[in-house]
Amino acid sequence: MKKRITILTGAGMSAESGINTFRDAGGLWEGHDVMEVASPQGFAKNPELVLNFYNQRRRQLQLVKPNLAHKALVDLEKLFDVTIVTQNVDDLHERAGSSNIIHLHGELLKVRSTGNENRVLDWTKDLNLGDRCEQGHQLRPHIVWFGEAVPLLEQAAIATQNADILIIIGTSMQVYPAASLIDYAQGHVPIYFIDPRPSVSENHYNHLTVIAKTAVEGVPDLVRDLIESI
């Protein structure tokens, strides 16, 4: 039976593909206060601003490609049972070829009805005011905004709890509830944390290895070591 690897990925996973990280040091996201463009209140106040913001992100996404770190994770699937839990809303894991991905914070290339959150549609073009579902409700980005529930959190927690190996890549471990997932790992499980500016040290958790490198620098080497260890 294959060992189970759960991989938690954040903004640093996609940064080297050219996708900007979530927010800069000043707390702004592409020049906007995060609450203006990533909250239900912001959408209610100025839906056109919010839609345009995600239209720009969607256009940018279609210009970038998976990087070497995304591609390296695909190799693990040959020998391990791999689940990727990502905070990223891009589709770069899918495009690289990974097959089992939980998008905690939603997906940029999907939209959903404001009248029925279970009505989710694939969407690659701009989303504008007046674009409605078949029941007449305005469509919105399929993104989990601040203050909203994280529907796939329980699924992600179970994947982390069942892991034989946990890998964390490119995340500050500061954004909750995603940051709490590490606490679901069993005490004996080896944890690898890859980030150029790691926010945890090896005395924080048992069996933790900190790799202070970017995703592109650190992931391919770790993948090779795990494959060779079998």
Side-chain angles (χ1 to χ4, degrees), residues 93-228:
H93 283 302
E94 285 90 341
R95 277 199 260 160
S98 290
S99 59
N100 187 17
I101 302 147
I102 299 170
H103 280 275
L104 266 190
H105 294 160
E107 298 180 62
L108 192 53
L109 297 183
K110 293 184 178 178
V111 300
R112 71 173 185 260
S113 169
T114 54
N116 176 6
E117 64 180 20
N118 296 315
R119 182 62 176 132
V120 179
L121 306 170
D122 293 328
W123 201 272
T124 57
K125 58 186 179 181
D126 284 358
L127 179 64
N128 300 307
L129 280 179
D131 288 331
R132 302 178 183 276
C133 71
E134 63 272 19
Q135 295 175 326
H137 301 290
Q138 173 67 41
L139 296 169
R140 57 160 277 183
H142 184 50
I143 304 291
V144 176
W145 287 330
F146 288 99
E148 295 184 323
V150 182
L152 298 181
L153 185 63
E154 184 178 356
Q155 190 178 333
I158 291 169
T160 307
Q161 197 168 27
N162 291 338
D164 298 306
I165 299 169
L166 180 63
I167 303 173
I168 303 170
I169 306 165
T171 173
S172 65
M173 298 299 291
Q174 306 296 316
V175 178
Y176 285 84
S180 66
L181 287 173
I182 190 173
D183 298 322
Y184 287 90
Q186 304 288 337
H188 64 280
V189 166
I191 303 172
Y192 299 92
F193 188 96
I194 301 174
D195 193 88
R197 293 177 294 281
S199 56
V200 296
S201 63
E202 293 184 349
N203 57 9
H204 283 161
Y205 295 92
N206 295 328
H207 311 293
L208 173 64
T209 301
V210 174
I211 302 169
K213 295 181 178 181
T214 68
V216 165
E217 293 168 341
V219 173
D221 288 346
L222 175 60
V223 166
R224 186 177 61 249
D225 290 347
L226 289 172
I227 289 173
E228 289 176 354

Side-chain angles (χ1 to χ4, degrees), residues 15-41:
E16 290 164 286
S17 289
I19 292 182
N20 295 342
T21 52
F22 185 67
R23 44 184 156 168
D24 64 25
L28 298 180
W29 193 10
E30 301 283 320
H32 295 281
D33 181 285
V34 170
M35 298 306 285
E36 285 182 357
V37 294
S39 73
Q41 296 85 351

Side-chain angles (χ1 to χ4, degrees), residues 7-10 84-89 93 101-105:
I7 304 167
L8 312 180
T9 68
I84 296 175
V85 178
T86 186
Q87 298 175 61
N88 300 334
V89 297
H93 283 302
I101 302 147
I102 299 170
H103 280 275
L104 266 190
H105 294 160

